[in-house]
Amino acid sequence: MSMGLGAITSCATSNATAIAAARLANNRQGHDSSSSVFRNQQLRRQVLVQSSLSSQHNKDARVSCLTNNDEPEVPSLSTRATSSSGSTEFSSIGSSSSLGLSLEIREIDERCKKWQWRGYTISYLSVHGRREQVLNPDSNSNSDYPPLLLVHGFGASIAHWRRNILTLAQSYTVYAIDLLGFGASDKPEGFSYTMDVWAQLILDFLDEIVQRPTVLIGNSVGSLACVIAASDSSQSLVRGLVLLNCAGGMNNKAIVDDWRIRLLLPLFWVFDTLLKQRAIASFIFERVTQRDNLRNILLSVYGNKESVDEDLIEIIKKPANDEGALDAFVSIVTGPPGPNPVQLMPRITLPVLVLWGDRDPFTPLDGPVGTYFSTLPAQVPNMSLFVLEGVGHCPHDDRPDLVHEKLLPWLDDLLPALEDPNQAGYKWRMVIAYDGTRFSGWQYQPSPPTIQSIVEKALTQITKQERRDLHLVGASRTDTGVHAWGQVAHFVTPFNYDRLDSIHAALNGLLPSDIRIREISPAAPEFHARFSAKSKIYHYKIYNSSIMDPFQRHYAYHNVYKLNSDVMREAAKHFIGKHDFSSFVNASHNDRSPDPVKNIFRFDITEMVALLLQIGREAIPPDVVPKILATRDRKELAKVALPAPPHGLCLVSVSYNEEHLRLPAGCPSISFGRHHSISKCKLPFF
């Protein structure tokens, strides 16, 4: 959930003021919190806005208003989970009530796993889609069910999805994550939290843990983080979005065009100033996280008061006692609000489902963000919006039955798109070389230009397929300025080719001269350019001379100081073997492993090169390498070396097992490019 700044500020003063501020923000007439929203009637009123259906372009756009008169029957479920050894059983996992199937907080805590991300520990839950089975935390098995990722809002955690996980897990593989600074994940002191950090965390989680196209489901700021992630991601990672009362920013200061927020802005600025005083911030945080204050805040944002139970209060309160929780609170409340969904949604071409509780005091339906999303279905054909009457800021926990009633059919319709796109059609492998000087790395971005975006543009012209249908994936997401001689990528087409030399020549004809397809071949259905890779070889070139060779200036780092290559080789030996490379994980690096303990490192080579350069200059001794590795802290590395420039780095090759490189039957042979015969035409200038 996302506790609004107006309510939090007032709560530090008094409980009554907190509720009043929340109601002021809502500014609605005729909403009686004591009205019966759970009447057991069999009628359901659904209002379709026909104006959006008038044109052929918008024939699929839907806006619905769902009342609370319908109480769907909740099926009972006896859940059984067996460990990998088959010796442990859990009977009657979770509980069934009028709010649906629910997991206990204890059960969630017991099943959570840990994942290392940029040197921080992130907590996540994985519940596989086998009916009546909950994943054992020690199991590494995978499920064939399509994956979903649940992302909580401000102040919440994985357990806030307690009433959704089991219902969704009957048909899907459900992942839920504690964002950095929340739940059981790390809360680093002094960390500057931003929406972009959380969005990158989501993308890396999909890339390293899920490893399949995923539907993102978020609430409040979790929704906004999902929108940012989807706008930055290629179609191979995110396949759909479900937004539950999407926030307008990391904090309410983003929504400056709402008169209710403008009215409170002076209070926000004063509050920010006060929070910068540690003693005052500690006092306010302690008051906000008291059980009675939390209960009052939750009651003000939930339409169904029965959903505000002691477990919910514990879900919010428990992580607030962790070390670093105060720093996270201050950073998020006083930090920059970050991107606005109004700016981001035009980039989204994925199917989107928006569910909005109409009693939300923080992002009201008639506010700027709610109004914007209300108008989108008339403009975007693959987007649906349902308004849930009598529901507050956290629909999934407030009225899970209403959320499931809309979410499950939407997911069922989306199911064919969630299936592995590589199972149907033909897969093709490319070996690509490029000069990365003028590109912002490999990974797709609308702008500035990236290798992937330019290759995709050429492929769409040749294959006549949409970008999202190509599913182009590269083996390594090289950073800005990094070059490649042996980058490997794959893409998918619904048709076969008789010969590949024609498409090979056409691709190179459309691509700029600093990108070349060296090789193109058929690929087995199970081949994946990134996840099938066994190893990668990178070279970093250092030009050690007082005068730089002008022809090498874009491809080698110029070092004017004489280097002692012997001590550099001695120091480099410390990298060989199994180590925790957390100290060398660059915060901006996109090609990282889910576990920093590796036999062969897959981290920021420029960090390692920088350290070796300092050793080669004899500024520090070679034995500093194992000491820095032992700290598992990038701050220790930063004390002695800054990253080396990226232009000296080149991806030389990617290797795969033989079974991944086998050519499927009935496909054309590998194309290495056409060899043109010598022309007999005599040209006068030759």
Side-chain angles (χ1 to χ4, degrees):
M1 79 161 260
S2 178
M3 292 186 287
L5 192 56
I8 290 175
T9 307
S10 303
C11 181
T13 307
S14 70
N15 299 340
T17 311
I19 301 174
R23 290 176 177 170
L24 171 64
N26 192 23
N27 194 36
R28 282 184 172 80
Q29 299 296 327
H31 288 300
D32 182 3
S33 62
S34 62
S35 64
S36 176
V37 296
F38 286 100
R39 290 188 290 267
N40 295 320
Q41 300 178 3
Q42 297 301 319
L43 299 176
R44 177 167 60 99
R45 179 171 60 86
Q46 191 175 55
V47 180
L48 296 178
V49 178
Q50 299 295 336
S51 61
S52 65
L53 307 179
S54 57
S55 66
Q56 181 68 21
H57 176 72
N58 293 322
K59 64 180 181 180
D60 295 326
R62 295 178 293 163
V63 181
S64 298
C65 182
L66 180 66
T67 71
N68 284 327
N69 295 331
D70 186 29
E71 182 69 17
E73 181 181 354
V74 179
S76 60
L77 175 67
S78 176
T79 308
R80 179 187 181 94
T82 305
S83 69
S84 56
S85 62
S87 60
T88 305
E89 295 183 355
F90 303 93
S91 60
S92 300
I93 297 296
S95 60
S96 180
S97 68
S98 62
L99 294 172
L101 299 169
S102 180
L103 277 173
E104 302 285 344
I105 298 177
R106 171 186 55 82
E107 294 167 338
I108 293 174
D109 292 341
E110 289 174 354
R111 287 160 177 78
C112 280
K113 296 181 178 182
K114 302 298 181 185
W115 167 55
Q116 292 297 315
W117 179 73
R118 300 186 181 180
Y120 303 118
T121 299
I122 303 299
S123 177
Y124 74 95
L125 176 72
S126 175
V127 178
H128 280 207
R130 303 182 187 122
R131 298 177 189 273
E132 303 184 357
Q133 184 177 26
V134 176
L135 177 67
N136 184 283
D138 297 325
S139 171
N140 292 319
S141 62
N142 245 328
S143 168
D144 294 332
Y145 283 66
L148 313 174
L149 176 60
L150 310 179
V151 185
H152 62 79
F154 173 53
S157 61
I158 292 170
H160 204 209
W161 301 98
R162 56 192 170 142
R163 293 169 175 154
N164 316 103
I165 292 171
L166 285 181
T167 298
L168 295 173
Q170 294 181 60
S171 301
Y172 302 94
T173 301
V174 179
Y175 294 88
I177 192 169
D178 280 340
L179 296 175
L180 186 70
F182 296 111
S185 292
D186 279 355
K187 303 168 184 65
E189 294 185 11
F191 189 87
S192 296
Y193 293 88
T194 66
M195 292 304 308
D196 290 326
V197 167
W198 291 328
Q200 189 60 54
L201 169 62
I202 291 170
L203 288 176
D204 290 342
F205 184 83
L206 298 181
D207 186 25
E208 299 166 6
I209 302 298
V210 183
Q211 299 187 358
R212 284 191 293 161
T214 304
V215 173
L216 302 181
I217 304 176
N219 172 229
S220 189
V221 292
S223 281
L224 181 55
C226 291
V227 171
I228 299 171
S231 68
D232 291 341
S233 167
S234 66
Q235 294 282 346
S236 61
L237 289 178
V238 183
R239 298 302 303 280
L241 277 177
V242 180
L243 310 178
L244 306 173
N245 288 63
C246 183
M250 189 171 71
N251 46 55
N252 283 344
K253 287 176 290 188
I255 318 172
V256 294
D257 48 353
D258 187 339
W259 70 268
R260 289 160 288 204
I261 300 300
R262 288 201 303 270
L263 187 65
L264 295 173
L265 271 178
L267 181 61
F268 291 163
W269 302 129
V270 172
F271 191 56
D272 286 359
T273 303
L274 293 176
L275 284 178
K276 293 177 182 179
Q277 307 297 320
R278 185 78 179 184
I280 297 176
S282 180
F283 172 78
I284 293 175
F285 187 64
E286 183 179 348
R287 290 292 303 274
V288 168
T289 55
Q290 289 177 359
R291 299 189 75 87
D292 288 343
N293 287 337
L294 285 176
R295 181 180 292 104
N296 287 331
I297 293 172
L298 292 166
L299 287 170
S300 72
V301 300
Y302 271 60
N304 172 26
K305 311 307 177 185
E306 294 181 10
S307 294
V308 181
D309 55 14
E310 290 302 314
D311 281 350
L312 177 59
I313 296 172
E314 185 65 18
I315 289 170
I316 307 299
K317 179 173 177 55
K318 183 180 178 181
N321 298 325
D322 294 345
E323 185 176 356
L326 172 60
D327 284 6
F329 171 78
V330 173
S331 176
I332 294 167
V333 172
T334 64
N340 190 294
V342 177
Q343 304 165 335
L344 299 171
M345 287 304 296
R347 304 184 195 173
I348 306 296
T349 59
L350 302 162
V352 180
L353 172 65
V354 179
L355 301 177
W356 212 282
D358 71 342
R359 291 196 180 181
D360 183 353
F362 299 147
T363 51
L365 189 62
D366 61 353
V369 178
T371 301
Y372 172 75
F373 276 102
S374 298
T375 61
L376 274 187
Q379 307 170 31
V380 183
N382 61 347
M383 177 177 168
S384 300
L385 168 70
F386 293 95
V387 178
L388 309 181
E389 287 190 357
V391 180
H393 186 63
C394 310
H396 61 292
D397 193 57
D398 192 334
R399 285 300 305 272
D401 53 336
L402 296 181
V403 170
H404 296 157
E405 181 178 336
K406 292 304 174 188
L407 174 60
L408 293 176
W410 185 83
L411 289 172
D412 287 342
D413 292 340
L414 194 63
L415 183 60
L418 292 174
E419 295 173 350
D420 186 359
N422 307 320
Q423 297 302 314
Y426 299 85
K427 185 178 287 187
W428 312 97
R429 179 179 65 89
M430 299 183 293
V431 180
I432 309 173
Y434 50 82
D435 178 345
T437 302
R438 69 182 184 96
F439 299 106
S440 297
W442 163 268
Q443 189 68 13
Y444 172 83
Q445 297 179 34
S447 63
T450 66
I451 307 297
Q452 181 179 353
S453 62
I454 291 177
V455 173
E456 282 180 336
K457 184 177 180 181
L459 282 171
T460 56
Q461 289 183 255
I462 293 171
T463 65
K464 308 303 180 185
Q465 301 295 303
E466 295 291 335
R467 185 182 77 86
R468 63 175 177 270
D469 298 325
L470 290 170
H471 303 286
L472 179 66
V473 178
S476 177
R477 294 190 291 174
T478 54
D479 289 336
T480 299
V482 175
H483 315 292
W485 171 250
Q487 169 75 286
V488 177
H490 77 257
F491 67 97
V492 179
T493 60
F495 45 78
N496 197 0
Y497 285 99
D498 294 329
R499 296 170 57 96
L500 288 177
D501 52 357
S502 295
I503 184 177
H504 193 170
L507 275 172
N508 281 333
L510 290 172
L511 291 171
S513 59
D514 44 4
I515 303 177
R516 278 294 170 265
I517 309 298
R518 294 176 47 217
E519 176 185 324
I520 183 169
S521 66
E526 63 271 16
F527 173 81
H528 193 284
R530 183 169 179 79
F531 300 132
S532 300
K534 184 173 65 174
S535 65
K536 302 171 189 173
I537 295 178
Y538 291 85
H539 284 178
Y540 193 96
K541 186 180 292 187
I542 303 169
Y543 195 85
N544 191 199
S545 174
S546 59
I547 300 175
M548 181 62 183
D549 181 350
F551 295 102
Q552 295 290 329
R553 70 189 188 281
H554 294 309
Y555 313 107
Y557 169 57
H558 182 210
N559 180 76
V560 297
Y561 302 98
K562 185 176 181 180
L563 297 175
N564 186 336
S565 58
D566 292 335
V567 295
M568 292 176 71
R569 291 190 183 94
E570 180 185 348
K573 292 178 181 177
H574 293 295
F575 290 124
I576 300 174
K578 188 173 183 177
H579 304 290
D580 187 331
F581 286 90
S582 297
S583 300
F584 294 88
V585 177
N586 191 336
S588 63
H589 205 285
N590 290 328
D591 187 18
R592 58 180 66 83
S593 168
D595 185 354
V597 180
K598 301 295 289 183
N599 286 315
I600 303 297
F601 56 80
R602 293 174 59 188
F603 297 96
D604 196 330
I605 299 174
T606 60
E607 301 270 5
M608 298 176 176
V609 170
L611 183 61
L612 292 176
L613 282 169
Q614 289 292 83
I615 294 171
R617 294 166 182 165
E618 299 182 349
I620 51 178
D623 61 2
V624 75
V625 175
K627 294 177 181 177
I628 291 177
L629 285 170
T631 64
R632 298 186 300 174
D633 187 353
R634 289 194 67 255
K635 295 178 182 178
E636 294 302 314
L637 175 64
K639 292 178 181 178
V640 295
L642 296 175
H647 67 271
L649 185 62
C650 180
L651 172 61
V652 177
S653 64
V654 183
S655 64
Y656 301 87
N657 292 324
E658 288 298 325
E659 59 267 24
H660 288 136
L661 295 179
R662 66 176 177 83
L663 298 180
C667 287
S669 58
I670 302 175
S671 171
F672 296 98
R674 287 176 174 172
H675 294 277
H676 299 280
S677 58
I678 298 175
S679 174
K680 295 182 180 180
C681 177
K682 294 182 179 180
L683 298 178
F685 46 84
F686 278 132

